[in-house]
Amino acid sequence: MKWLLRLVSLLLLMSPLMVHAQPGLQAITVNTGADGEQTYSVSLQVVALMTALTLLPAALLMMTSFARIIIVLSILRQAIGLMQAPSSQILIGLSLFLTFFIMAPVFNRIYVQALEPYMADKMNFQQATATASEPLRDFMLNQTREADIGMFAKIAGETEYDDVKDVSFSILVPAFVTSELKTAFQIGFLLFIPFLIIDLVVASVLMSMGMMMLSPMIISLPFKIMLFVLVDGWNLIIGTLASSFYI
């Protein structure tokens, strides 16, 4: 719950609609300070808050480790041959909490370096936004292939970057998602191989025995489950996924 609250706070901090406001009762009140900074009424902040919350699922899916984890677990279920076990709700819940575990160092850096100083009025909105984006940018850059960044930069018509930290979020986010999909399918391919071998062996044995009307899936499923349990498959899969991210 603590990390969920921090994630919500991060989304609100990075939303360009949210600014530090002065108390007010009117529906919309805009005050311009001596330095040109505009502040909005509390009522308008509530509207911006509700709007920002609708972006939370998209940010969780596209800018964290969630996509890779849920894809790998779904491919694993398909490789074993279990269509409904574990259920989709269990896979999503497991992926969500694994995401919080993996992203904990990133969320903690954002909370300590940006959110706390901003709430204590030690940092203005622009400085807090720039500071909060750095840990998330570093995480995504560590997982993203340079070829994917180059492809989207070429599509956008941008020139080569002197430093990868100069990559804008409009380029980095789709490049990160593309790279995550590629990595997830590579892991899924490796997961499929041992289960595919079992299916081939069982199918060959049934064919040689003349039992062509019997589905190989009925015979191979218990062997695949037994193999997965004997090698402590859940420990291997979850541990490998958690260690595959570079924080």
Side-chain angles (χ1 to χ4, degrees):
M1 181 62 66
K2 179 176 68 174
W3 295 117
L4 181 60
L5 292 176
R6 290 187 178 184
L7 185 61
V8 173
S9 301
L10 167 63
L11 181 62
L12 298 180
L13 180 62
M14 298 183 64
S15 173
L17 296 177
M18 298 299 296
V19 295
H20 188 66
Q22 300 293 335
L25 297 177
Q26 296 82 1
I28 299 178
T29 302
V30 182
N31 299 320
T32 303
D35 56 354
E37 183 179 359
Q38 291 184 332
T39 58
Y40 297 83
S41 66
V42 176
S43 301
L44 189 59
Q45 282 196 83
V46 172
V47 176
L49 170 63
M50 300 305 296
T51 303
L53 287 176
T54 61
L55 301 176
L56 181 59
L60 180 63
L61 291 175
M62 299 292 99
M63 300 176 68
T64 65
S65 57
F66 183 86
R68 182 191 304 186
I69 296 172
I70 189 62
I71 291 174
V72 171
L73 294 181
S74 299
I75 292 177
L76 173 64
R77 183 175 63 178
Q78 180 73 25
I80 296 177
L82 299 171
M83 297 298 101
Q84 300 296 330
S87 64
S88 299
Q89 292 85 349
I90 294 177
L91 291 184
I92 292 175
L94 177 59
S95 302
L96 185 62
F97 282 99
L98 276 177
T99 300
F100 289 149
F101 172 77
I102 293 170
M103 299 296 295
V106 178
F107 293 158
N108 187 63
R109 286 179 56 194
I110 294 173
Y111 184 79
V112 172
Q113 298 177 7
L115 188 58
E116 279 188 341
Y118 175 71
M119 295 176 65
D121 292 330
K122 297 179 180 179
M123 186 180 294
N124 60 34
F125 175 74
Q126 290 77 11
Q127 293 173 337
T129 302
T131 304
S133 65
E134 287 305 317
L136 193 60
R137 176 189 295 272
D138 292 340
F139 171 79
M140 290 193 292
L141 282 174
N142 289 334
Q143 322 305 322
T144 307
R145 296 173 175 83
E146 293 184 3
D148 295 326
I149 296 177
M151 178 187 67
F152 283 99
K154 182 178 180 181
I155 294 174
E158 297 188 8
T159 58
E160 295 183 358
Y161 301 100
D162 297 331
D163 190 351
V164 291
K165 293 187 176 181
D166 296 333
V167 179
S168 62
F169 267 94
S170 61
I171 300 296
L172 180 58
V173 172
F176 170 75
V177 174
T178 303
S179 187
E180 285 293 282
L181 291 174
K182 189 181 300 182
T183 302
F185 275 84
Q186 289 175 348
I187 298 175
F189 171 76
L190 296 177
L191 289 177
F192 245 103
I193 293 177
F195 300 112
L196 180 61
I197 293 175
I198 294 177
D199 286 333
L200 291 175
V201 171
V202 171
S204 299
V205 172
L206 292 178
M207 185 74 68
S208 63
M209 296 175 62
M211 304 174 66
M212 292 176 291
M213 301 300 295
L214 181 62
S215 174
M217 289 293 298
I218 300 177
I219 307 300
S220 63
L221 181 58
F223 289 99
K224 290 189 288 187
I225 295 177
M226 181 181 65
L227 173 65
F228 190 71
V229 172
L230 289 177
V231 299
D232 198 6
W234 287 115
N235 187 30
L236 290 175
I237 295 300
I238 294 176
T240 301
L241 282 173
S243 61
S244 65
F245 291 92
Y246 305 97
I247 304 299

